[in-house]
Amino acid sequence: MKDLAMHIIDMLQNSIEAEATKVNLVINEDAVKDTFDIEISDNGRGMDENLKAKIMDPFFTTRTTRRVGLGLPLLKSAAERCDGKINIESALGKGTTVKASFRNSHIDRAPLGNIIDSIINLIASNPELDLIFIHKMNDREIIFDTRKLREQLEDVPLNNPAVVNWIKQYLIENYKKSL
């Protein structure tokens, strides 16, 4: 995958397919520690130890539409290429947490990519999903929580075009302030 946002979308899609209703996405860039971490946790159905042992095999998938599952193996490879690692914690009926760590300055670390459009597409496609998005960049951070927005909007769905446009502008403005 050409950027990390693509890996993030793949992991978020895994959460949705695992019937998660709440997903936390935390990106943490720390220049002092030279780390770039991505953590996605959900309240989906989780995995037992047997399934967890198989998920790094690119020829294993729970999907019925194809016979390979490359998402996690590709993320693991990307992290390891950059002196990082991937850690997966999961419990059946409790959800899953995937954390990928990269050396931030590594020449092979892919750029983050268009995280704003990735978040927008996720929300527009899954307006009922509770998404808590936090992007920490050294001493600055951006926080976006669909639950809080939903409270303010009452009966207006998050995939309403005006709402989607507002979310996009909100994220753009907050990234401009934080960079």
Side-chain angles (χ1 to χ4, degrees):
M1 294 189 200
K2 67 179 184 170
D3 60 46
L4 297 175
M6 301 302 287
H7 287 288
I8 290 169
I9 285 296
D10 188 64
M11 297 303 106
L12 292 170
Q13 189 60 40
N14 287 349
S15 294
I16 291 164
E17 289 178 16
E19 301 173 355
T21 58
K22 179 183 173 195
V23 177
N24 296 328
L25 166 59
V26 179
I27 300 170
N28 190 1
E29 299 179 57
D30 189 325
V32 173
K33 293 180 182 175
D34 195 22
T35 57
F36 190 105
D37 300 327
I38 301 167
E39 183 173 311
I40 298 171
S41 57
D42 68 46
N43 67 348
R45 65 179 167 263
M47 297 179 276
D48 61 22
E49 290 301 316
N50 184 41
L51 180 57
K52 191 176 162 190
K54 296 177 183 176
I55 59 174
M56 286 302 171
D57 179 352
F59 299 104
F60 173 80
T61 184
T62 57
R63 294 182 182 157
T64 56
T65 55
R66 63 177 186 234
R67 295 192 319 240
V68 293
L70 295 173
L72 285 167
L74 285 174
L75 180 60
K76 179 182 182 212
S77 176
E80 289 175 349
R81 231 182 3 258
C82 300
D83 300 331
K85 64 182 179 177
I86 187 170
N87 184 50
I88 301 170
E89 295 177 16
S90 189
L92 200 55
K94 299 199 183 223
T96 301
T97 298
V98 176
K99 183 174 182 180
S101 300
F102 302 80
R103 184 163 52 92
N104 194 30
S105 65
H106 198 284
I107 193 167
D108 290 329
R109 185 184 65 78
L112 176 58
N114 193 338
I115 193 65
I116 293 173
D117 281 351
S118 298
I119 296 297
I120 293 298
N121 289 333
L122 177 75
I123 293 169
S125 302
N126 304 278
E128 68 290 333
L129 181 69
D130 290 338
L131 174 68
I132 298 91
F133 170 56
I134 301 169
H135 189 162
K136 299 175 185 177
M137 295 161 279
N138 301 310
D139 60 343
R140 298 160 290 165
E141 71 180 3
I142 295 168
I143 300 173
F144 179 74
D145 187 337
T146 58
R147 298 171 304 174
K148 292 182 180 180
L149 181 58
R150 205 176 284 113
E151 285 174 15
Q152 297 296 315
L153 294 172
E154 296 175 354
D155 293 331
V156 180
L158 294 183
N159 61 353
N160 177 297
V163 175
V164 170
N165 187 51
W166 183 89
I167 294 168
K168 184 170 187 167
Q169 293 310 311
Y170 172 85
L171 291 171
I172 289 170
E173 288 174 26
N174 277 276
Y175 269 97
K176 283 180 184 175
K177 290 178 191 174
S178 295
L179 295 176

